[in-house]
Amino acid sequence: MQPLAKALRQQGVDPDLSHLIDTIGKTCKMIAQHLIQGPVNKLHGCAGTLNSQGERQKQLDIIANDLLKQNLLAQTLVSGLASEEEEHCVIGDPKGRYLVVFDPLDGSSNIDINVSVGTIFSILCAPEGQIDDQSFLQRGHNQVAAGYVLYGPSVIMALTTGQGVDMYSLSQDGNYYQTRHQVKIPPHTQEFAINMSNQRFWDTSMQRYIAHLLEGEQGPIGKRFNMRWIASMVAEVHRILTRGGIFMYPRDNRDSMEHGKLRLMYEGNPMSLLVEQAGGVSSTGNTNIVDICPNDIHQRVPVILGAMAEVKRVITYHR
Ligand code: P6P
């Protein structure tokens, strides 16, 4: 098995981009250590603060965010970063080539119950001139790299630089080693992930699709489905990249959910690039997520991603 740096070199990835990805990987090792030590160091629970979107912050949300900011801003490669935990972008080195967008600890409601959480990252090229929030408003297919680090029984990075998806597992020697190469999502599936408790709020198109899906062999879809819901997008996407499936977080008719719950820039786009690079599809139900022209770094987006044939079926229900 080859280490991350060697694998990126062999793929001909720009050395600066490789160095930036390595920095993210090293920072996620630090985050993993804080997660392991969480209970002993009394780092579980809320910090008593709200993030810029009024969401209660866990102590480990803040620690993960601070570690990523500190290590990325120490790089001359980074001209700016944006984070779920920061209202506006944070300016880096004016000569930096890259912008980094991240959700430092996705699924953090799972921390206190010791269920998998993850760091999601997206790397864009920095435009010329002074960096501000507008600089980040680039379509998902502009990403030069995207990935996540899943903190589960193993610490695993899934990464794409536009040449397919590879997975790297953290070893005791502190290095990430390639354990999956050119991951592919099977086009068909019998496993779906959605928060069923929101069923009464969905659009009728989503209600009809899920109703048909639950009718199993006797229904119009004609096959039985199994269900999973981990409430951690990183874990759901990792399952889909590993064994297939479809994940949905649709919009619904509640006030704050007209565009869904998940964030385009640091959840929707990086996960959509990974899924598309692995042969899957990622859609709002009406348009490919990576084609959306963003208008705000924290905008929300409905997400339907995974097995190509199943996502395309959901899209037909939206028409
Ligand atoms: P719900 C975690 O808070 C997250 O942003 C995603 O990781 C996850 O898929 C979703 O929200 C879970 O949402 O409404 O089921 O708690």
Side-chain angles (χ1 to χ4, degrees), residues 103 106-109 195 198 229 231-234 236 247 249 261-262 267:
D103 182 350
D106 180 68
S108 52
S109 62
N195 184 337
N198 298 329
W229 190 250
S232 171
M233 187 185 193
V234 178
E236 314 274 8
F247 166 88
Y249 211 112
K261 174 181 184 184
L262 302 177
E267 291 171 321

Side-chain angles (χ1 to χ4, degrees), residues 136-190:
F136 290 78
L137 302 183
Q138 303 180 35
R139 288 187 173 88
H141 53 61
N142 274 26
Q143 294 172 100
V144 293
Y148 59 76
V149 174
L150 174 65
Y151 309 106
S154 303
V155 176
I156 297 180
M157 177 191 289
L159 174 70
T160 183
T161 59
Q163 303 172 73
V165 176
D166 296 324
M167 291 183 178
Y168 301 86
S169 298
L170 184 61
S171 172
Q172 285 177 334
D173 67 6
N175 293 310
Y176 290 90
Y177 291 94
Q178 191 177 94
T179 45
R180 294 272 322 267
H181 180 53
Q182 291 299 311
V183 170
K184 290 295 173 219
I185 301 171
H188 300 280
T189 186
Q190 289 181 252

Side-chain angles (χ1 to χ4, degrees), residues 51-53 55 82-87 100-104 106 118-122 143 147-148 233-234 261-271 296-301:
N51 67 13
S52 56
Q53 296 124 79
E55 295 163 338
S83 166
E84 178 175 42
E85 306 303 335
E86 303 287 337
E87 183 171 3
V100 185
V101 194
F102 53 83
D103 182 350
D106 180 68
T119 296
I120 308 172
F121 59 91
S122 168
Q143 294 172 100
Y148 59 76
M233 187 185 193
V234 178
K261 174 181 184 184
L262 302 177
R263 311 289 180 167
L264 173 63
M265 297 306 294
Y266 39 81
E267 291 171 321
N269 273 341
M271 294 310 209
D296 181 274
I297 56 175
H298 296 298
Q299 79 182 69
R300 298 175 191 266
V301 65

Side-chain angles (χ1 to χ4, degrees), residues 4-18:
L4 174 62
K6 184 178 176 189
L8 296 179
R9 204 163 44 245
Q10 282 192 346
Q11 289 174 22
V13 174
D14 180 303
D16 283 347
L17 181 58
S18 298

Side-chain angles (χ1 to χ4, degrees), residues 8 103-104 208 218 220 241 255:
L8 296 179
D103 182 350
R208 280 184 60 242
Q218 284 70 41
L241 287 173
D255 289 348

Side-chain angles (χ1 to χ4, degrees), residues 9-300:
R9 204 163 44 245
Q10 282 192 346
Q11 289 174 22
V13 174
D14 180 303
D16 283 347
L17 181 58
S18 298
H19 181 75
L20 181 51
I21 293 165
D22 184 57
T23 300
I24 292 170
K26 285 186 168 70
T27 307
C28 291
K29 280 196 301 189
M30 299 173 187
I31 294 170
Q33 282 308 315
H34 281 286
L35 288 167
I36 291 166
Q37 289 295 109
V40 172
N41 293 349
K42 298 187 180 354
L43 292 178
H44 278 190
C46 291
T49 52
L50 300 177
N51 67 13
S52 56
Q53 296 124 79
E55 295 163 338
R56 287 192 306 167
Q57 292 178 304
K58 300 281 190 177
Q59 294 180 79
L60 285 161
D61 283 324
I62 295 172
I63 289 170
N65 189 58
D66 287 348
L67 283 169
L68 283 161
K69 277 199 307 187
Q70 174 187 322
N71 290 351
L72 289 171
L73 295 179
Q75 297 291 328
T76 56
L77 294 168
V78 177
S79 62
L81 58 84
S83 166
E84 178 175 42
E85 306 303 335
E86 303 287 337
E87 183 171 3
H88 296 291
C89 72
V90 178
I91 305 301
D93 188 308
K95 297 185 301 301
R97 294 178 58 190
Y98 299 109
L99 301 175
V100 185
V101 194
F102 53 83
D103 182 350
L105 212 54
D106 180 68
S108 52
S109 62
N110 282 330
I111 292 172
D112 296 357
I113 57 170
N114 205 38
V115 170
S116 298
V117 293
T119 296
I120 308 172
F121 59 91
S122 168
I123 303 176
L124 299 161
C125 286
E128 293 296 321
Q130 178 62 34
I131 298 298
D132 60 18
D133 285 359
Q134 298 296 314
S135 310
F136 290 78
L137 302 183
Q138 303 180 35
R139 288 187 173 88
H141 53 61
N142 274 26
Q143 294 172 100
V144 293
Y148 59 76
V149 174
L150 174 65
Y151 309 106
S154 303
V155 176
I156 297 180
M157 177 191 289
L159 174 70
T160 183
T161 59
Q163 303 172 73
V165 176
D166 296 324
M167 291 183 178
Y168 301 86
S169 298
L170 184 61
S171 172
Q172 285 177 334
D173 67 6
N175 293 310
Y176 290 90
Y177 291 94
Q178 191 177 94
T179 45
R180 294 272 322 267
H181 180 53
Q182 291 299 311
V183 170
K184 290 295 173 219
I185 301 171
H188 300 280
T189 186
Q190 289 181 252
E191 190 162 65
F192 76 101
I194 196 166
N195 184 337
M196 286 298 293
S197 69
N198 298 329
Q199 190 274 348
R200 62 189 181 283
F201 305 123
W202 298 332
D203 294 344
T204 49
S205 54
M206 186 53 77
Q207 288 176 336
R208 280 184 60 242
Y209 167 68
I210 296 293
H212 288 170
L213 184 148
L214 292 174
E215 287 173 26
E217 297 87 338
Q218 284 70 41
I221 296 176
K223 58 183 178 178
R224 185 191 177 286
F225 278 77
N226 188 24
M227 193 195 115
R228 288 287 182 273
W229 190 250
I230 309 173
S232 171
M233 187 185 193
V234 178
E236 314 274 8
V237 171
H238 190 72
R239 183 187 61 249
I240 289 169
L241 287 173
T242 304
R243 71 181 189 209
I246 181 170
F247 166 88
M248 296 160 277
Y249 211 112
R251 62 173 304 287
D252 68 43
N253 62 23
R254 289 172 290 178
D255 289 348
S256 61
M257 298 290 276
E258 59 182 320
H259 299 295
K261 174 181 184 184
L262 302 177
R263 311 289 180 167
L264 173 63
M265 297 306 294
Y266 39 81
E267 291 171 321
N269 273 341
M271 294 310 209
S272 297
L273 189 66
L274 283 169
V275 164
E276 289 199 354
Q277 284 285 314
V281 172
S282 183
S283 172
T284 63
N286 299 302
T287 183
N288 279 346
I289 285 175
V290 292
D291 293 337
I292 294 171
C293 191
N295 51 43
D296 181 274
I297 56 175
H298 296 298
Q299 79 182 69
R300 298 175 191 266

